[in-house]
Amino acid sequence: SVIGVTASVISVVFNSVMGIVFAIYILFRKEILAKQAKQIVYAYLPRKAADEALYIARLSNTMFSKFVTGQCTEAVIIGLLCFLGMTIFKMPYAPMISVLVGFTALIPVFGAFIGTAIGAFLILMVSPIKALWFIIVLQQVEGDLIYPKVVGSSIGLPGIWVMLAVIVGGSVNGVLGMLVSVPISAVLYCLIGRSAKGRLEKRNITIDNL
């Protein structure tokens, strides 16, 4: 068992280090790699298909960048606000719970619920009243103010589709599926909207007439 656990830990560390090194290498050579990829696309695909492929690639890059930026911004904001509020109201375990809430907030929609549930349980051991206030205030701030303004507006995906994407992504591939499902859904949402708009224009149908 010890050998198995040790091998697993070494494997995770090795893969993580290699992933970071590989990512840094790609970032340093992204212009050259992008140019080579574009050459291959235009060499083997028809011009129209190549233009469409590059459009989808640019859209995907934009959506993923906005999502990661928005999600990290939300995590930092909610973590800082949580620490500030818990310090003012003298709630226990403020630094630990704030870091936990900020970290779990990286998971779209349901991450804040997970962090809130664990934090409330820890506070409950000391003061049930403070635990109740912690749940009410944090969920209101995250659900009504931070997430819709920071993440929802950054990718332009309606809330119902965000929730559906997270549910489907989580059922397919757990936490990783939750993280990538939202930007992928945002890309599909834009592509379907663009395609539908083009078809309506060909049929001389305006949105106002529908």
Side-chain angles (χ1 to χ4, degrees):
S1 298
V2 171
I3 293 174
V5 171
T6 304
S8 299
V9 171
I10 293 175
S11 177
V12 170
V13 173
F14 177 79
N15 291 335
S16 301
V17 172
M18 291 302 297
I20 294 173
V21 172
F22 190 66
I24 293 174
Y25 177 80
I26 291 177
L27 287 175
F28 275 114
R29 298 182 60 86
K30 61 181 179 181
E31 291 82 7
I32 297 175
L33 294 174
K35 187 176 181 180
Q36 291 174 344
K38 188 181 295 185
Q39 291 173 352
I40 292 174
V41 168
Y42 278 97
Y44 291 97
L45 293 178
R47 181 60 183 263
K48 187 176 181 180
D51 290 339
E52 189 67 18
L54 287 181
Y55 172 78
I56 295 174
R58 293 192 189 99
L59 180 62
S60 301
N61 177 63
T62 301
M63 288 300 176
F64 272 84
S65 298
K66 287 183 177 180
F67 174 75
V68 171
T69 302
Q71 205 69 42
C72 291
T73 302
E74 186 214 7
V76 172
I77 291 174
I78 195 172
L80 291 176
L81 289 178
C82 181
F83 177 75
L84 182 62
M86 293 183 69
T87 303
I88 292 175
F89 292 103
K90 297 180 179 180
M91 293 184 180
Y93 313 118
M96 180 180 66
I97 293 176
S98 300
V99 172
L100 175 66
V101 170
F103 182 76
T104 55
L106 293 173
I107 302 174
V109 181
F110 299 109
F113 290 98
I114 299 172
T116 302
I118 299 175
F121 178 77
L122 294 175
I123 299 174
L124 183 65
M125 300 295 103
V126 179
S127 174
I129 300 298
K130 290 183 178 180
L132 181 62
W133 277 108
F134 175 79
I135 294 173
I136 295 173
V137 174
L138 188 63
Q139 285 304 313
Q140 288 297 319
V141 170
E142 196 277 338
D144 296 337
L145 297 177
I146 299 177
Y147 195 88
K149 299 293 184 182
V150 177
V151 181
S153 60
S154 65
I155 60 177
L157 191 65
I160 182 65
W161 298 117
V162 172
M163 184 171 295
L164 181 62
V166 171
I167 293 173
V168 174
S171 63
V172 172
N173 199 21
V175 175
L176 181 61
M178 291 182 179
L179 293 175
V180 301
S181 61
V182 175
I184 290 176
S185 298
V187 172
L188 294 176
Y189 183 81
C190 291
L191 293 176
I192 294 173
R194 175 171 170 258
S195 177
K197 184 179 179 181
R199 287 179 175 270
L200 290 174
E201 289 177 352
K202 289 181 180 179
R203 298 181 181 184
N204 295 322
I205 301 175
T206 61
I207 299 177
D208 296 332
N209 296 331
L210 297 176

